[in-house]
Amino acid sequence: MDRSVMGRVIADTERSNNGVDRRDFLKVCTMAAAAVGLPASVAVQWAEAAESGGLKPSVIWLHGQECTGCTESLLRTSRPGLAELILDLISLDYHETLFAAAGHQMEAALQQAMEANAGKYVMVVEGSTPVKENGIYCKIGGTTMLDLVHEVAEKAGAIIAIGSCASWGGVQSTPPNPTGATGLPEVLEGKTVVTIPGCPANPYNFLGTVLQFVTLGTLPALDAKGRPATAYSKTIHEHCPRRPHFDAGRFAQEFGDEGHRQGWCLYKLGCKGPVTHANCSVLHFGEIGTWPIGTGHPCIGCTEQHVGFETFIHQTVEIERPTPPDTYPPVEEVRHGISPAAAGVAGLVGGALVGAGYMAARKAAESGGEEEES
Ligand code: FSX
Ligand code: SF4
Ligand code: F3S
């Protein structure tokens, strides 16, 4: 990154006198860019554009069946300034729970926002859409959520499903799913919907997606489930700070025991990290520098359909790929000019690491109640 540019942005932003630590501004942009795989130089551009008032994409935010946790995680942080910084980056032109207006004023605001920014606004949906019986189980101002999402999607420039509820139905879509709670990609079949699952979703994944669309006119590369590929390509288990304990066979056996207090692996308490794709382990949100596993709670798989909410919290998952963690050198990478001796050593190390992961998985599966150490 060009340090002089970064320094100028920090200096400029610090001159702002709205009472907020403006260094956070650049930090937020950098984390959002990293979430979608963009370099820090792009974050600097975002910060500069936002400071000059040239950014602020129009965002229309709808609520279906959910708890409003995604909005909370975006705005209600331990450092109140962050909410203000986020609202410097986007123009929230319609939001059903944050608006002071109500009734007809709200309905007029929605129509106005759609007309003023037709073809350009970012449509964000939080919560699932009930589709049973023509959507009668969720109505806003007399209109069903089902009709509303179709209407707003019509003129949207980009569509984002924030949270697990909007991505694939979430907790209310679990059997027997009495209202037919459905994720947005299914409701808007045929349209491109970026999904940002998580209960709640990681706000940096959201911000990165919105800012990329507005500044570069593109969406992040998406995986088969519509998720930004960079953010959801790896499992929690692959970069979990407790991974060395897993590999060494050190597991907490019950909440509050010695292993739990020592910060050992939570696999036996039902951690779903090995089958859950998300970046919360490396991009914490909530601004208190922690995340579920960091607080001593197993990952419940909140970002993963058919894992979060459909498995018991204490239930252990199968370890499908007992591979070494990212912190070790890749053992499968093809290198040119490598000597047979070096290749042999790499093979041995790789084999030992794979073996360690596999043994840890075996030990976890086979052991009874007592604690284990390697
Ligand atoms: Fe809640 Fe959002 Fe969970 Fe759902 O997050 S935190 S129930 S994903 O739609 O508000
Ligand atoms: Fe971390 Fe859970 Fe994997 Fe243990 S099982 S290393 S706590 S992700
Ligand atoms: Fe969710 Fe697991 Fe992360 S529960 S927030 S995916 S650690």
Side-chain angles (χ1 to χ4, degrees):
M1 183 193 321
D2 182 338
R3 286 181 183 278
S4 64
V5 172
M6 191 166 184
R8 197 176 70 240
V9 171
I10 289 174
D12 287 349
T13 54
E14 276 175 343
R15 276 200 286 280
S16 168
N17 65 353
N18 65 0
V20 173
D21 176 2
R22 306 303 283 173
R23 277 175 191 273
D24 281 349
F25 196 77
L26 190 55
K27 191 174 156 203
V28 169
C29 290
T30 306
M31 290 166 82
V36 290
L38 292 174
S41 54
V42 171
V44 172
Q45 285 169 22
W46 289 348
E48 284 183 321
E51 279 301 308
S52 64
L55 211 48
K56 291 227 165 196
S58 173
V59 173
I60 294 179
W61 192 298
L62 305 178
H63 288 277
Q65 298 171 300
E66 40 91 23
C67 76
T68 321
C70 301
T71 293
E72 290 283 334
S73 79
L74 188 72
L75 299 178
R76 201 170 299 282
T77 60
S78 58
R79 285 185 306 198
L82 192 61
E84 204 174 325
L85 293 177
I86 288 168
L87 291 173
D88 273 351
L89 288 166
I90 61 173
S91 174
L92 211 45
D93 290 339
Y94 179 82
H95 192 293
E96 285 158 356
T97 54
L98 292 179
F99 261 26
H104 297 303
Q105 284 178 321
M106 277 291 281
E107 287 165 25
L110 176 59
Q111 292 307 324
Q112 203 181 331
M114 284 199 297
E115 276 159 32
N117 302 291
K120 287 188 292 192
Y121 61 81
V122 179
M123 171 189 183
V124 179
V125 173
E126 177 177 357
S128 55
T129 303
V131 299
K132 239 181 211 173
E133 297 174 67
N134 294 323
I136 59 164
Y137 296 104
C138 183
K139 282 189 167 181
I140 301 103
T143 307
T144 64
M145 177 72 177
L146 188 56
D147 286 342
L148 198 59
V149 294
H150 281 292
E151 184 188 343
V152 178
E154 202 58 44
K155 293 178 188 158
I159 304 171
I160 298 176
I162 190 166
S164 298
C165 302
S167 298
W168 39 261
V171 65
Q172 50 283 345
S173 69
T174 54
N177 191 2
T179 67
T182 306
L184 200 59
E186 219 175 302
V187 175
L188 297 179
E189 213 185 331
K191 287 193 183 289
T192 301
V193 177
V194 180
T195 59
I196 305 187
C199 189
N202 188 327
Y204 295 110
N205 297 341
F206 165 73
L207 271 179
T209 303
V210 171
L211 295 177
Q212 174 171 342
F213 173 70
V214 172
T215 54
L216 306 177
T218 57
L219 290 172
L222 305 177
D223 68 13
K225 294 180 179 174
R227 307 175 292 192
T230 306
Y232 293 91
S233 61
K234 292 190 174 151
T235 62
I236 300 289
H237 190 59
E238 283 177 74
H239 33 58
C240 176
R242 295 183 190 234
R243 179 63 187 263
H245 292 300
F246 176 91
D247 289 333
R250 288 190 291 265
F251 300 99
Q253 304 289 330
E254 54 185 57
F255 287 99
D257 72 5
E258 188 54 25
H260 193 230
R261 284 200 295 275
Q262 294 288 332
W264 288 0
C265 172
L266 303 170
Y267 176 76
K268 291 193 180 183
L269 301 182
C271 184
K272 310 294 187 293
V275 294
T276 301
H277 295 81
N279 57 352
C280 46
S281 56
V282 290
L283 206 52
H284 300 162
F285 56 101
E287 302 321 303
I288 52 171
T290 190
W291 60 300
I293 290 175
T295 66
H297 196 284
C299 167
I300 65 163
C302 78
T303 61
E304 207 69 52
Q305 190 172 13
H306 305 308
V307 177
F309 318 121
E310 285 187 37
T311 51
F312 292 112
I313 287 181
H314 66 270
Q315 200 175 321
T316 52
V317 292
E318 215 161 295
I319 306 289
E320 286 175 6
R321 293 183 298 126
T323 53
D326 275 1
T327 42
Y328 294 102
V331 293
E332 295 148 339
E333 197 169 290
V334 180
R335 288 165 194 262
H336 298 292
I338 192 167
S339 74
V345 171
L348 278 175
V349 171
L353 291 172
V354 171
Y358 180 68
M359 284 314 293
R362 284 275 306 272
K363 280 168 91 175
E366 288 168 3
S367 87
E370 81 254 31
E371 291 181 0
E372 298 164 16
E373 234 176 312
S374 62

